[in-house]
Amino acid sequence: SKQGITVVSGIELSTEYKGRELHLLGYFIDKEQYEKIEKLMEEYHILKEKSNIALTNRLREKGYIIDYEDVKKRNVNGHPNRAHFASELMEKGYISSVEKAFETILSVKNGLYVPPKRINILDAIRFLCEINAVPVLAHPLIDLDENELRELLPKAIKAGLVGIETIHSKYSEDDLKTAEQISKDFNLLQSGGSDFH
C-alpha cells in the first residue's frame, strides 16, 4: 500500500490447555476458508451465549440487577464477553472500574463466571493448519510460566504451531528476553502484538 502497510486477515481463538485459557492466532487466512471459520465460530457463539445467560442469572441471584439485552447492546455484533458485563456493572454503580470487576465479581474464583467450554489448543492448531492459516501462540508468558510453555511447545509444534508472540505490551524486560530465547530454542517464528482492543 501507499503507507507501506500490508494488511493480513487473521483470527484469535480462545482455546483450552490443562484448564487454562490460551489464545491462538491464525494469520493469512484465504477467503475460501471463511465459511469453515464461520461454522466453527457458530459453535463458539452457542457455548458463549449459554455461559453469558448463566452468568446473568447468577449475578441476578446475588442481587446485581442487570438485563442481558442491555449487555448485548454493548457489543456491535451482539456477542458480549466479560468486559461488556463489567461495563454494565460499572454503569449500574455496582463496581468502580472494569478492572475491579474482573478482580472481584467476575473473577473465575468468585464462582459467578464459569468460562464456556473451549476447543483444545492442539485441535485448534490442527484446524488452522487444515485451512492453511499460520498458527501463532499469543502472549504465552502471560498465561503460562516458562516451564509450562516449554512443556507445551513440543506437542504444539507437532500439531503445526509455527510461532509465538515474543513482543507484547504486558511483557516485562525479562519476559521479552525469555520469549525470544524460547522461540530460538524451538525454531519458532516471532511475532508481536499490543492487544490494544
Side-chain angles (χ1 to χ4, degrees), residues 121-123 125-127 129 135 151-163 186 188:
I121 182 86
L122 302 178
D123 291 335
I125 292 168
R126 291 185 197 103
F127 169 79
C129 290
E151 180 196 293
L152 166 63
L153 285 177
K155 295 175 269 191
I157 291 164
K158 192 175 177 186
L161 186 76
V162 298
F186 287 92
L188 289 164

Side-chain angles (χ1 to χ4, degrees), residues 176-193:
L176 291 167
K177 288 176 190 161
T178 301
E180 188 175 349
Q181 187 58 54
I182 289 171
S183 73
K184 288 175 180 171
D185 292 347
F186 287 92
N187 199 25
L188 289 164
L189 298 175
Q190 297 183 44
S191 77

Side-chain angles (χ1 to χ4, degrees), residues 145-178:
D145 66 29
E146 182 180 350
N147 291 335
E148 291 168 327
L149 178 56
R150 286 182 179 275
E151 180 196 293
L152 166 63
L153 285 177
K155 295 175 269 191
I157 291 164
K158 192 175 177 186
L161 186 76
V162 298
I164 61 170
E165 270 189 347
T166 55
I167 300 167
H168 191 270
S169 57
K170 290 186 180 168
Y171 275 3
S172 66
E173 282 298 317
D174 282 349
D175 289 338
L176 291 167
K177 288 176 190 161
T178 301

Side-chain angles (χ1 to χ4, degrees), residues 42-135:
E42 273 175 39
E43 293 171 33
Y44 266 93
H45 291 322
I46 289 165
L47 294 169
K48 185 67 180 159
E49 184 76 354
K50 285 179 181 172
S51 169
N52 284 342
I53 291 166
L55 173 58
T56 303
N57 293 338
R58 289 190 198 99
L59 284 166
R60 290 177 72 86
E61 283 165 16
K62 293 287 182 185
Y64 301 103
I65 306 306
I66 62 165
D67 186 329
Y68 185 47
E69 288 307 310
D70 292 338
V71 177
K72 281 174 99 164
K73 286 175 192 164
R74 292 186 172 276
N75 185 293
V76 289
N77 62 21
H79 300 297
N81 58 33
R82 264 189 303 172
H84 301 105
F85 277 91
S87 294
E88 188 69 15
L89 288 165
M90 196 173 90
E91 191 165 297
K92 296 265 184 179
Y94 291 120
I95 202 81
S96 59
S97 71
V98 169
E99 292 77 19
K100 197 81 178 156
F102 272 85
E103 289 166 15
T104 57
I105 301 168
L106 299 177
S107 76
V108 174
K109 289 175 188 165
N110 192 37
L112 299 182
Y113 171 72
V114 178
K117 187 166 170 34
R118 295 186 174 94
I119 187 172
N120 176 276
I121 182 86
L122 302 178
D123 291 335
I125 292 168
R126 291 185 197 103
F127 169 79
L128 290 176
C129 290
E130 281 168 24
I131 63 167
N132 299 317
V134 176

Side-chain angles (χ1 to χ4, degrees), residues 18-32:
K18 292 190 171 181
R20 304 261 192 94
E21 181 181 350
L22 296 184
H23 292 177
L24 182 68
L25 306 164
Y27 292 119
F28 301 98
I29 299 168
D30 297 325
K31 278 188 178 169
E32 305 83 69

